[in-house]
Structures are given as structure tokens and as C-alpha cells.
Amino acid sequence: MGKKARRQTRKKKAKNGIAIYHDMKVYENFERSALRIFECIKNAEKVSPGAPRYLYIDIQGHRNEAGGYDHDAFELIQDYSLGFLLDYLTEIHTPLYGVRNRSRQRNNMPDVLRIGHPDDGSKYGYDAGSLKIQPREGAPVTRKTAPTVRAISDYLGMEEAACLVCWRKPVERAHVVPTSLGGSMDVKNFALLCKDHHAEAPDVADAESFWAWIDYAELRDSPGKWVDAPEELKEFMQKHNVRVGHKPREPLSFFSAVKEELWSLYGWNDRDLSRVAWPDLMDEFHCVLDAATGRHFSIDKKVSTYAWAYDIALRRIAGDAHRVIRDTPDAGRQSPNG
């Protein structure tokens, strides 16, 4: 291809542009959403260098007591998207407003996203030092009965009720923080899960850790979503390198399954197991298990609950009481500009 033809191709791509869409689900916090949007923009620049980029953001759930967007959603829209990303885009469209970049779109995205904690007294991550309940809702409604499935699905932004992890039906109403640990009947304290994923979900005193597990399980089990899809849709997905159908999970012992979740969800590595003496870790683990976890369906041991308790126990011993659950071991909440 000659230089003239290449220039024409680039002009055509630039004229058409690239639309980037992200739907911030209830189970996504600021960190996970910010990192995923960042990677999408970087990939768009890699695939079509210099093409105009248009970012579209939807928000599901993430409502505060006044009915507006909570801290994570507002931060994603205001501080991150408009305050940082706009320079690298042509337009941004959010549920609150749309903005066009008045300058020329920059194409030199940073190699690494670093996200820092704003010093505004906001809570980020479970306080392992206190082991107190940390619900997502700030001032829960003092209702005595659980909301309907329809009310929960409306809050979650779902057209019809289905499991958040695998899209299967029927669904059960799952408490984010169990009532035995002080969880409320507020609609924000509920998820919709199938029977199997409800039985797997953690029973812990931290709402954000529950939602982080939903996010992890949704990614882990996502191929199963397409099993009941029409054949033409399944063919389309497979043609675009999307795996359809469950990949058989290797049978694991209980502790091996806990270890797998510690590695995959909480970012543990071999060094973490050698940081402290095993007897000390077990003492703290049982302290956490007794004070900040519950029991569901009369299940004595849950992989997800035990993994959370081990992570909190390690943080208590190491003095890392406010560590945030990460999307990858290298992704922390540092400043966008490094």
C-alpha cells in the first residue's frame, strides 16, 4: 500500500471514530471501572491510532440516600472521566451530561494507570482493624421486610430478574451483608443470584468485598452466560473469540479452592503465606471468622467466606488494615497522573 493510500485509510478511520461503552454495574467499584475504561481507550488507540474516540458511560445502581449517585459513580463521572480522560477523547457522554473536548484529542495515554485515595475522609476498603460492619448504604431504610425481586432488579438496572453472575433463572434475593451481621433490608443491601451462586457468595461484614466477589465470579463464570443463547448468537460470539459454555473446573480440595481465590481475587502470592507464622495467622483467622462472618444455608464452610477471613487476618497481622481489593496485583488507587 502506497503512502497516499495509507493516508486515505487513516483519514477514513479518523472520520468514523471509535465508540467506547462502559456500563458501571453495581458490583463494580471506582477502581475496577476506571481500570477497565483506561484499558479500552489504550486498546482503541492501538487498533486505530489517532481516530476520534467517543466514550459512553452508563451507571447501574450506585445510588446514595438522596437518590443521587454515590461516591464511586460521581468520582468516575466527574473527577476521572471529565478531569482526566477527556484530554484523550473527542467526546464523553455520561448519565449526567455530555462534553466535547475543545482541544485536539491527545493520543499519548500513560502506560500505567495509578489511582490515589483523595484525602476527604471517604472509606476505601474494609477496616480490618475494627472488624465492624461496613455496608454500602450510608443511611439504610429501616424497613422490616425484604424488597421485592422487581424492586431489586430495578435498582440493579436489569430489564428482567436474572442471576448477576450467570444470567440464569429463577433467582433468589441475596443479602450483601447478612442480617445476622447487621445487614439491613434496604434495596441496596441485596443482589439477585441463582441458587448455586447464592450458596457460593461470601457471608461477610463488608459490602464492597461481597460486590468484589460478584465481579470476580461473573468474570470467572462468564462463558456460561451464553449456553442458552440462540444458536446464531453463539456462533457470532465464538466467531469473535468469546468462549461459550462452561470450562470444566479442576476438582480442588477445600483449602486449595480458598488459596485459588486468595490468589485470583485478593492478589495474594507465595510471599504472603511466608510473611507471618502460620499459628499467628490461624489465631487471627478464627478471630475474624467469629466476629465478622456469618453462616448461610447452614453451610459450615464457604470458600469465599474463608478466603475473605484469611485476607483480613493477614492484613491485621501485617498492619495493612485498609488495603483495597484490586483488579490485578499491580492496580492500586493512586493518582491518575502517576
Side-chain angles (χ1 to χ4, degrees):
M1 183 184 292
K3 290 184 178 179
K4 183 176 180 180
R6 284 197 295 269
R7 285 196 297 269
Q8 290 175 340
T9 300
R10 285 197 293 267
K11 286 180 180 179
K12 184 177 180 181
K13 286 183 178 179
K15 183 178 180 180
N16 292 337
I18 296 178
I20 300 167
Y21 175 75
H22 184 79
D23 188 1
M24 186 186 192
K25 299 294 188 183
V26 172
Y27 47 79
E28 288 184 297
N29 62 2
F30 171 82
E31 288 88 353
R32 285 187 287 277
S33 291
L35 181 60
R36 288 164 182 170
I37 294 172
F38 178 81
E39 294 297 336
C40 285
I41 295 173
K42 282 186 66 66
N43 187 61
E45 172 59 20
K46 181 179 179 180
V47 173
S48 299
R53 293 183 289 270
Y54 305 88
L55 175 62
Y56 298 85
I57 295 176
D58 273 341
I59 308 284
Q60 304 298 346
H62 287 285
R63 295 288 180 171
N64 58 25
E65 307 81 62
Y69 287 118
D70 66 13
H71 190 282
D72 275 8
F74 190 77
E75 186 177 7
L76 187 76
I77 294 172
Q78 183 69 29
D79 300 329
Y80 181 64
S81 296
L82 300 183
F84 170 60
L85 290 180
L86 184 58
D87 284 347
Y88 305 97
L89 299 163
T90 294
E91 287 182 9
I92 293 178
H93 297 269
T94 77
L96 295 179
Y97 36 66
V99 177
R100 185 174 181 85
N101 188 350
R102 295 182 178 180
S103 304
R104 178 177 296 182
Q105 171 186 285
R106 293 173 57 185
N107 298 308
N108 57 337
M109 282 284 287
D111 292 330
V112 179
L113 177 65
R114 303 186 185 281
I115 308 170
H117 293 293
D119 187 18
D120 59 1
S122 303
K123 293 181 179 179
Y124 300 101
Y126 184 71
D127 183 358
S130 69
L131 293 182
K132 293 180 180 178
I133 178 177
Q134 185 169 315
R136 175 175 279 188
E137 73 272 23
V141 176
T142 56
R143 58 179 297 156
K144 302 299 183 182
T145 58
T148 64
V149 169
R150 179 71 265 172
I152 298 170
S153 61
D154 285 344
Y155 174 73
L156 296 174
M158 308 174 74
E159 292 184 2
E160 56 181 324
C163 177
L164 285 170
V165 174
C166 65
W167 297 354
R168 296 295 180 101
K169 305 169 188 175
V171 295
E172 298 178 348
R173 293 172 292 185
H175 277 91
V176 175
V177 175
T179 53
S180 61
L181 295 174
S184 75
M185 291 294 180
D186 189 277
V187 69
K188 294 187 285 295
N189 194 46
F190 282 88
L192 295 178
L193 300 173
C194 66
K195 182 178 180 180
D196 290 341
H197 284 113
H198 194 179
E200 277 191 71
D203 299 315
V204 299
D206 178 27
E208 291 304 333
S209 291
F210 174 93
W211 289 119
W213 184 89
I214 296 293
D215 185 77
Y216 156 77
E218 192 270 338
L219 292 172
R220 180 195 67 188
D221 298 344
S222 60
K225 293 177 176 180
W226 310 107
V227 171
D228 297 327
E231 288 300 320
E232 58 271 19
L233 178 57
K234 288 196 283 189
E235 291 177 5
F236 174 83
M237 301 301 290
Q238 291 170 330
K239 182 179 179 181
H240 290 80
N241 301 316
V242 175
R243 185 158 54 87
V244 175
H246 295 282
K247 182 180 180 181
R249 289 194 215 171
E250 181 181 347
L252 298 173
S253 66
F254 182 80
F255 185 73
S256 294
V258 171
K259 183 178 177 181
E260 171 63 28
E261 199 153 300
L262 286 169
W263 260 245
S264 301
L265 175 57
Y266 296 99
W268 276 39
N269 53 47
D270 289 324
R271 293 191 305 275
D272 287 309
L273 288 178
S274 61
R275 287 169 65 187
V276 296
W278 184 251
D280 293 338
L281 180 63
M282 290 305 297
D283 284 346
E284 286 297 334
F285 165 76
H286 284 290
C287 175
V288 175
L289 207 62
D290 292 341
T293 71
R295 184 183 300 178
H296 212 102
F297 300 121
S298 299
I299 299 175
D300 287 330
K301 297 193 298 183
K302 272 190 180 184
V303 169
S304 59
T305 301
Y306 270 50
W308 181 83
Y310 273 116
D311 187 60
I312 298 300
L314 179 67
R315 287 162 53 183
R316 286 170 62 85
I317 294 173
D320 191 11
H322 295 279
R323 191 173 71 188
V324 178
I325 290 175
R326 299 162 296 195
D327 204 39
T328 66
D330 295 323
R333 196 169 185 142
Q334 302 162 359
S335 69
N337 296 317

